[in-house]
C-alpha cells in the first residue's frame, strides 16, 4: 500500500480517540454500542492498551472496573452486564442470574470467562504513565486480583494436570465460531430449555454470524454450566478444550505479573515459574505437519489438527522453540502467502473457510495486533511493520470494523468497534517500536 493511501498519525489518533470516548460509559468502554452493549473481559484488556496513549487514567479505570466484578473463586467474568441493556444481548443477566450463585459478585455477570490478557494490559498501561500509576497505586490495587485470577485458572481449569487451562464453552475462547471447536460442539445437544433469541442479527448480517444450530448448542452448554452453579468440578461437562491462544495469553500475562511484582517489591519467581510451565505444556499442542499449534480436546483426549490463527498466537512468547515454523506458516499459502492483507483466522485453503463468516476465515484486528507483538518479539520487524500498517489503514478506512475480509479488506460485522480503534491507535503510535 502506497504511503499516500495511508491515514496520517493525527487522523488516526483523532478518529480512534473520538470513538473510544463515544463508547465510554463512565467506568468502562463497551465493545460496540449496538451489538455488544455490556463490558466484555478481554475486550477491556485490548481497549486499555489503546486508551493508555490518550487517556491513561481511563485505561486504568477500564481494568479496575472489570476486576471489581471478580468472583470469590478468582474468575474474571466474560461479561459484566448493564441491567438497562439486558434485552439488547442474549444470553443476558436474566439467563445467568449470577447473583443467585455462591461466590458471584453483586454486579450481574456471566458465569463464563475469556482469555487472560489483563495482566499484560495492566503492565502496558502502567508503563504509559508510571507517575500517574504510582500516584493512584494502580498496580498495587490490581495485582492481588490478577494473582487470584491466574490462581483460578491453575486450580480450576487445569483439568488434566498438564499445566494448561481448558475452556468449557466456545465463548470462553474469544474465537467463538472457530473450526477448532466443530467436532466437540457437534456432540453437544441443540435443545436448550431457554428460548434462543438473536438480538445480534439486528446489528450484523446473518451470513456473517454463527447459525441457528450453533447458537442452540452454545445456549445448551451455557445452560448446563449455569445449572451446575458454574462449578468447574463437573466431570461430565461435555466440552473442555485447551486452546493455544488462551494459554499463550496466560503465559505472557504471567510474565507481565512477574514485572509487576518486581515493581511492587514482590517475588517474581512464582510467576516466571508458572509462565515456563505453561510454555512447556504448550509444546504438546504443536503440530509439526502443519507448522502450527492445535487445540487439545480434553474430553476425547485428542488433538484438533486445524490451522487457525489461534495456533499462531504463541509467537507472543519469548524463546518459543517453534517461532521460525510459525513465521513460515504465517507467510505461507494458507495465510499471508495466499494474497491476504492481514492474517486470516483460518487457513484459506480449507474447504470450509469463509472470509465473511465469524472466525472461519476473516481477519481480526486483535489477533493481528498480537501477531505484530509476536513478530517484534522474535525480531521479524519488517513483516510486523507491514501487518501493522495494513491494520491501521483498514481500521481507519472502514470506520473501525469488527473484522475484515483478509483478501479484499472489505469490512464485516459491526462498525465503530472499540478494540479495533484502540489497537489501531496503539500500532500507529508504537510503529517500529518494540511492544
Amino acid at each position: 500500500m502506497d504511503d499516500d493511501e495511508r491515514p496520517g498519525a493525527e487522523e488516526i489518533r483523532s478518529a480512534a480517540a473520538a470513538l473510544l470516548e463515544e463508547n465510554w460509559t463512565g467506568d468502562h468502554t463497551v465493545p460496540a454500542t449496538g451489538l455488544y452493549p455490556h463490558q466484555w473481559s478481554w475486550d477491556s484488556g485490548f481497549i486499555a492498551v489503546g486508551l493508555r496513549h490518550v487517556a491513561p487514567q481511563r485505561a486504568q479505570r477500564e481494568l479496575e472496573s472489570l476486576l471489581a466484578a471478580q468472583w470469590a473463586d478468582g474468575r474474571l467474568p466474560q461479561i459484566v452486564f448493564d441491567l438497562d441493556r439486558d434485552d439488547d444481548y442474549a444470553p443476558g443477566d436474566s439467563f445467568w442470574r449470577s447473583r443467585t450463585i455462591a461466590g458471584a459478585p453483586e454486579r450481574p455477570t456471566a458465569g463464563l470467562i475469556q482469555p487472560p490478557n489483563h495482566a499484560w494490559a495492566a503492565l502496558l498501561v502502567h508503563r504509559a504513565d508510571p507517575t500517574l500509576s504510582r500516584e493512584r497505586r494502580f498496580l498495587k490495587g490490581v495485582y492481588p486480583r490478577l494473582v487470584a485470577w491466574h490462581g483460578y485458572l491453575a486450580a480450576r481449569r487445569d483439568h488434566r494436570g498438564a499445566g494448561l487451562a481448558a475452556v468449557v464453552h466456545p465463548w470462553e475462547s474469544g474465537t467463538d465460531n472457530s473450526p477448532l471447536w466443530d467436532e466437540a460442539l457437534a456432540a453437544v445437544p441443540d435443545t436448550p430449555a431457554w428460548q434462543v433469541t438473536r438480538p445480534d442479527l439486528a446489528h450484523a448480517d446473518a451470513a456473517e454470524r454463527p447459525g441457528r444450530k450453533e447458537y442452540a448448542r452454545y445456549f445448551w452448554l451455557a445452560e448446563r454450566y449455569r445449572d451446575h452453579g458454574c462449578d468447574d468440578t463437573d466431570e461430565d461437562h461435555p466440552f473442555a478444550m485447551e486452546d493455544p491462544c488462551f494459554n499463550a495469553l496466560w503465559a505472557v500475562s504471567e510474565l507481565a505479573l512477574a514485572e509487576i511484582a518486581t515493581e511492587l517489591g514482590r517475588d517474581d519467581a512464582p510467576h516466571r515459574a508458572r509462565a515456563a510451565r505453561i510454555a512447556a505444556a504448550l509444546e504438546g499442542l504443536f503440530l509439526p505437519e502443519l507448522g502450527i499449534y492445535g487445540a487439545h480436546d480434553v474430553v476425547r483426549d485428542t488433538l484438533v489438527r486445524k490451522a487457525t490463527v489461534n495456533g499462531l498466537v504463541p509467537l507472543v512468547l519469548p524463546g518459543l522453540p517453534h517461532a521460525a515454523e510459525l513465521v513460515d506458516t504465517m507467510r505461507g499459502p494458507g495465510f499471508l502467502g495466499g494474497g491476504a492483507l492481514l492474517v486470516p483466522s483460518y487457513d484459506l485453503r480449507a474447504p470450509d473457510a469463509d472470509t465473511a463468516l465469524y472466525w472461519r476465515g476473516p481477519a481480526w484486528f486483535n489477533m493481528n495486533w498480537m501477531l505484530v507483538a509476536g513478530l517484534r518479539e522474535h525480531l521479524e520487524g519488517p513483516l510486523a511493520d507491514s501487518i501493522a500498517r495494513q491494520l491501521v489503514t483498514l481500521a481507519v478506512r472502514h470506520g473501525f470494523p469488527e473484522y475484515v475480509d483478509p483478501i479484499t479488506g472489505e469490512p464485516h460485522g459491526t462498525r465503530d468497534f472499540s478494540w479495533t480503534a484502540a489497537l489501531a491507535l496503539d500500532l500507529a503510535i508504537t510503529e517500529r517500536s518494540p511492544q
Side-chain angles (χ1 to χ4, degrees):
M1 185 168 294
D2 296 335
D3 284 345
D4 59 3
E5 297 179 27
R6 295 173 55 205
E10 188 52 43
E11 178 187 354
I12 298 164
R13 185 184 183 96
S14 175
L19 174 58
L20 293 172
E21 177 69 31
E22 181 180 337
N23 288 353
W24 175 251
T25 68
D27 71 350
H28 69 274
T29 310
V30 297
T33 53
L35 186 55
Y36 304 107
H38 306 291
Q39 182 177 25
W40 262 258
S41 175
W42 78 326
D43 290 69
S44 279
F46 290 125
I47 290 164
V49 168
L51 272 178
R52 67 186 170 128
H53 298 295
V54 293
Q57 185 160 329
R58 263 174 50 204
Q60 294 175 28
R61 286 289 302 124
E62 185 79 39
L63 295 171
E64 291 165 343
S65 172
L66 177 69
L67 289 162
Q70 187 167 38
W71 288 40
D73 60 12
R75 85 180 71 194
L76 289 185
Q78 172 208 11
I79 306 170
V80 183
F81 293 114
D82 177 351
L83 291 181
D84 291 335
R85 307 299 302 275
D86 195 42
D87 293 334
D88 295 344
Y89 183 82
D93 175 58
S94 58
F95 172 91
W96 282 105
R97 304 189 298 270
S98 63
R99 286 163 294 178
T100 68
I101 300 173
E106 283 299 310
R107 296 175 68 181
T109 77
L112 300 171
I113 61 174
Q114 276 194 316
N117 62 346
H118 314 91
W120 189 14
L123 179 62
L124 293 177
V125 167
H126 165 75
R127 287 176 175 171
D129 192 336
T131 300
L132 175 67
S133 175
R134 290 170 185 140
E135 285 176 353
R136 295 189 68 251
R137 300 163 68 86
F138 169 63
L139 291 182
K140 187 172 184 179
V142 302
Y143 177 74
R145 290 185 176 272
L146 291 169
V147 170
W149 165 221
H150 289 201
Y152 164 81
L153 296 176
R156 303 289 295 276
R157 291 306 188 91
D158 186 358
H159 289 330
R160 61 190 180 111
L164 298 177
V167 297
V168 300
H169 194 292
W171 288 335
E172 293 196 323
S173 69
T175 60
D176 315 359
N177 202 35
S178 171
L180 289 175
W181 325 132
D182 285 357
E183 186 176 346
L185 198 62
V188 173
D190 59 359
T191 54
W194 191 268
Q195 181 181 358
V196 178
T197 57
R198 298 292 302 274
D200 60 311
L201 298 183
H203 305 283
D205 192 311
E208 299 175 357
R209 302 287 295 173
R212 182 199 63 79
K213 191 174 287 288
E214 285 78 18
Y215 253 84
R217 288 173 171 147
Y218 294 156
F219 268 73
W220 190 96
L221 263 182
E223 201 170 67
R224 180 192 170 91
Y225 191 62
R226 178 203 65 192
D227 291 347
H228 283 73
C230 300
D231 183 358
D232 299 306
T233 62
D234 175 13
E235 295 182 358
D236 294 324
H237 190 78
F239 187 99
M241 305 289 297
E242 292 166 347
D243 170 35
C245 173
F246 189 105
N247 283 284
L249 280 172
W250 185 18
V252 81
S253 282
E254 279 291 349
L255 293 174
L257 273 186
E259 296 198 40
I260 293 171
T262 299
E263 164 72 19
L264 296 175
R266 314 277 181 91
D267 184 8
D268 67 349
H271 301 303
R272 297 194 185 280
R274 181 177 284 163
R277 184 167 188 251
I278 299 165
L282 266 173
E283 292 310 297
L285 305 186
F286 188 70
L287 305 172
E289 72 277 18
L290 297 179
I292 206 164
Y293 290 81
H296 180 255
D297 186 331
V298 178
V299 175
R300 294 158 191 80
D301 193 22
T302 58
L303 275 176
V304 179
R305 300 180 181 276
K306 294 186 178 182
T308 71
V309 71
N310 299 46
L312 297 173
V313 173
L315 200 62
V316 299
L317 293 173
L320 190 74
H322 297 291
E325 290 107 310
L326 293 190
V327 174
D328 287 345
T329 299
M330 195 188 307
R331 293 183 184 274
F335 292 94
L336 292 174
L341 301 171
L342 291 175
V343 179
S345 50
Y346 187 28
D347 188 327
L348 295 175
R349 300 166 298 179
D352 56 341
D354 183 334
T355 58
L357 182 56
Y358 207 63
W359 291 109
R360 303 186 76 86
W364 288 75
F365 291 89
N366 65 326
M367 306 305 269
N368 277 267
W369 178 86
M370 288 189 284
L371 294 181
V372 168
L375 288 166
R376 288 175 174 169
E377 175 65 41
H378 294 281
L379 306 180
E380 294 283 348
L383 181 56
D385 293 341
S386 174
I387 294 172
R389 286 193 294 270
Q390 291 283 13
L391 188 157
V392 170
T393 299
L394 291 172
V396 177
R397 176 183 295 166
H398 296 303
F400 304 113
E402 190 175 3
Y403 52 91
V404 295
D405 184 302
I407 303 295
T408 67
E410 180 184 358
H412 292 290
T414 191
R415 305 300 188 272
D416 296 332
F417 200 68
S418 292
W419 82 27
T420 302
L423 298 178
L425 174 62
D426 180 67
L427 288 180
I429 289 175
T430 62
E431 187 174 7
R432 296 187 181 87
S433 299
Q435 287 292 329

